[in-house]
Amino acid sequence: QEAAKYEKKVMVLDFVMPTPLGNSWGLGGTCVNVGCIPKKLMHQAALLGQALQDSHKYGWQFTEEVKHNWMTMTESVQNYIGSLNWGYRVSLREKNVTYENAYGEFVGPHTVKATNKRGVEKLYTAERFLIATGERPRYLGIPGDNKYCISSDDLFSLPYCPGKTLVVGASYVALECAGFLAGLGLDVTVMVRSILLRGFDQDIANKIGEYMEEHGINFIREFVPIKVEQIEEGTPGRLKVTAKSTTGNQIIEGEYNTVLLAIGRDACTRKIGLDKVGVKINEKTGKIPVNDEEQTNVPYIYAVGDILQDKLELTPVAIQAGRLLVQRLYGGATTKCDYVNVPTTVFTPLEYGACGYSEETAVEKFGEENIEVYHSHFWPLEWTVPSRDNNKCYAKIICNIQDKERVIGFHVLGPSAGEITQGFAAAMKCGLTKEQLDSTIGIHPVCAEV
């Protein structure tokens, strides 16, 4: 859309390879269809359940049995996603961007082949190409995994309530999904290979795990599944999972209605003909190395988003990088995408907002003697009346002593963490110091004032 503003002739190829269970979706990528959007809406559904419980102490009286209807929720979520898909199609049409629902792969210099779902092939040539193919969920490669397990690609449009669920993984996707499923009243177990939320601040990650365990989510630590078998068909059916210890030879078995794999994602770069045009990828990860202008080793081919090597896998980062790239190519601009101090939020039952360095990375980079960490537990006012979760919320900032105690890491664990983090991220871009934070008057009584 940005390139079309400069009156360039633009085409978008977008094709979703169906999941092993046969699910696919419309225009808008992972975030819109099987990522951030449905995830946040289902997280909201779980928060509303908690709000119903809290409401009694606030004087709300209702007698009818409170239960959750999975189908009503997924239908509402899918209807909203459908409206977004339609909006994107209309928007592309209005800007005269050609959209083809076809799978693109490079076949020669400046040339791609597009194959639609009927197998009809067309060749297209272009002056420049932008690869933004993103990633798809990884499978374990064990007996029964892609036959009987689901991934986040299937969960948000699952046509039945998943029932007793085993979530395999400790990524933010695993913990977010486990969190909202438990919040909807389901029996949820999380099987963790090693640590929670690798790459995030571990102090916070462990607090998230503790909170989830206190709220009825079971954790099986240091085990990995080695086999998934179907005991009974159905919606949901019954599955037997055999798992092996990562530290010894112990084998355990468990029965579940649904097994959700959330063990990471793989870049969609290996089957798009990059070898035919000489674009280098990291052989191990499939990620594409680019320079600071998102250019691959082949000058006319660029890449943005989750497929980039050593960059952040976040939707707004991809959008920003794509817009800035086009403005440099066609609008005479020089601004490059800033991948530092990008805020993000993990929508676990207790939300976690972060910007900048984790404590571990800060110590590694600046040395323990050069950083100061200020931290505090707190109790949101809204939680005091229903008297729940006293002092489970937590905030900390990490400061670089050598640089006037500049804030290099910001972390908050509590309600509306995303809303709080967004504002502080702008301040960090401006070089926020501990002294400036101290001299900012808080808004009372809110979580952000902590």
Side-chain angles (χ1 to χ4, degrees):
Q1 296 192 40
E2 193 69 28
K5 284 183 196 168
Y6 296 100
E7 299 186 339
K8 296 291 163 190
K9 194 173 166 194
V10 187
M11 174 184 226
V12 173
L13 290 178
D14 176 86
F15 188 84
V16 179
M17 281 293 186
T19 71
L21 296 187
N23 288 314
S24 66
W25 46 87
L27 202 54
T30 294
C31 174
V32 165
N33 294 284
V34 288
C36 335
I37 298 289
K39 172 269 300 282
K40 178 93 190 280
L41 291 171
M42 291 189 178
H43 171 65
Q44 173 65 8
L47 292 182
L48 289 170
Q50 179 67 63
L52 280 172
Q53 291 174 35
D54 288 0
S55 71
H56 290 301
K57 280 277 176 67
Y58 280 104
W60 287 98
Q61 297 172 354
F62 44 89
T63 48
E64 77 276 13
E65 186 198 348
V66 175
K67 57 180 196 285
H68 183 264
N69 185 309
W70 176 271
M71 290 314 298
T72 305
M73 175 185 70
T74 44
E75 199 176 309
S76 305
V77 168
Q78 290 304 320
N79 285 346
Y80 177 65
I81 290 170
S83 75
L84 294 178
N85 299 147
W86 178 247
Y88 286 124
R89 291 195 74 154
V90 170
S91 188
L92 289 176
R93 196 175 303 141
E94 283 171 352
K95 295 183 173 67
N96 296 319
V97 175
T98 307
Y99 162 57
E100 282 258 2
N101 182 213
Y103 188 88
E105 48 191 313
F106 289 96
V107 289
H110 291 278
T111 310
V112 290
K113 177 177 80 177
T115 311
N116 72 11
K117 60 174 181 283
R118 290 187 298 281
V120 177
E121 296 178 0
K122 289 183 193 166
L123 291 180
Y124 295 101
T125 59
E127 179 190 17
R128 291 190 173 97
F129 295 85
L130 175 59
I131 308 166
T133 46
E135 301 184 301
R136 293 292 291 273
R138 189 176 300 152
Y139 281 77
L140 284 159
I142 59 168
D145 68 344
N146 53 11
K147 194 169 181 190
Y148 302 126
C149 300
I150 66 169
S151 72
S152 55
D153 280 357
D154 306 296
L155 179 66
F156 302 114
S157 58
L158 201 66
Y160 54 85
C161 177
K164 183 181 178 185
T165 303
L166 173 69
V167 178
V168 181
S171 60
Y172 73 91
V173 178
L175 298 186
E176 287 176 340
C177 293
F180 71 66
L181 290 172
L184 302 176
L186 302 180
D187 177 338
V188 177
T189 300
V190 182
M191 188 176 283
V192 179
R193 184 185 61 187
S194 55
I195 62 169
L196 299 182
L197 294 176
R198 187 179 301 282
F200 288 93
D201 189 279
Q202 284 302 294
D203 174 25
I204 304 266
N206 293 328
K207 284 178 163 51
I208 290 172
E210 278 165 33
Y211 184 90
M212 289 174 72
E213 281 193 271
E214 283 164 15
H215 284 257
I217 297 171
N218 312 303
F219 280 79
I220 299 175
R221 291 175 188 267
E222 299 187 326
F223 272 87
V224 290
I226 53 171
K227 186 166 61 175
V228 180
E229 300 161 279
Q230 189 178 59
I231 305 172
E232 194 181 301
E233 283 186 32
T235 51
R238 280 196 310 145
L239 301 169
K240 182 169 101 171
V241 178
T242 308
K244 184 179 187 300
S245 164
T246 57
T247 54
N249 295 321
Q250 194 190 352
I251 302 281
I252 57 170
E253 289 178 352
E255 276 187 30
Y256 305 92
N257 299 117
T258 299
V259 177
L260 170 67
L261 299 181
I263 54 167
R265 296 168 66 84
D266 291 322
C268 301
T269 54
R270 299 189 194 270
K271 294 178 181 169
I272 54 171
L274 295 182
D275 51 328
K276 302 260 192 339
V277 281
V279 173
K280 286 199 178 79
I281 65 168
N282 178 320
E283 278 310 322
K284 187 164 177 269
T285 62
K287 298 262 189 168
I288 303 178
V290 291
N291 64 15
D292 64 355
E293 297 199 340
E294 287 78 39
Q295 191 176 34
T296 69
N297 64 302
V298 176
Y300 65 88
I301 298 175
Y302 299 81
V304 296
D306 292 8
I307 53 171
L308 297 189
Q309 183 172 299
D310 305 324
K311 296 282 190 276
L312 298 156
E313 299 177 11
L314 297 165
T315 303
V317 173
I319 293 171
Q320 177 96 321
R323 282 202 181 127
L324 292 173
L325 167 64
V326 170
Q327 287 164 12
R328 290 194 304 271
L329 290 177
Y330 304 128
T334 54
T335 310
K336 295 172 187 176
C337 185
D338 180 3
Y339 291 94
V340 179
N341 281 342
V342 175
T344 186
T345 295
V346 179
F347 292 96
T348 33
L350 199 54
E351 295 175 17
Y352 166 33
C355 186
Y357 292 102
S358 67
E359 196 171 330
E360 294 80 11
T361 319
V363 167
E364 209 175 287
K365 194 171 168 69
F366 301 99
E368 196 159 356
E369 66 288 356
N370 293 322
I371 69 161
E372 189 69 76
V373 180
Y374 298 89
H375 61 120
S376 171
H377 286 90
F378 62 98
W379 198 14
L381 181 68
E382 298 82 349
W383 295 7
T384 58
V385 168
S387 66
R388 70 174 169 94
D389 300 319
N390 188 354
N391 275 357
K392 294 294 173 198
C393 296
Y394 180 68
K396 75 174 177 183
I397 56 158
I398 299 155
C399 302
N400 180 357
I401 297 168
Q402 302 295 328
D403 187 8
K404 300 190 185 128
E405 282 211 289
R406 189 167 62 83
V407 179
I408 55 170
F410 172 93
H411 304 271
V412 61
L413 195 54
S416 307
E419 309 295 354
I420 295 169
T421 306
Q422 186 70 76
F424 284 101
M428 285 174 71
K429 272 205 160 330
C430 302
L432 177 70
T433 63
K434 175 66 166 70
E435 189 186 2
Q436 288 170 329
L437 266 182
D438 289 342
S439 69
T440 302
I441 294 169
I443 300 168
H444 191 68
V446 300
C447 294
E449 76 177 311
V450 175

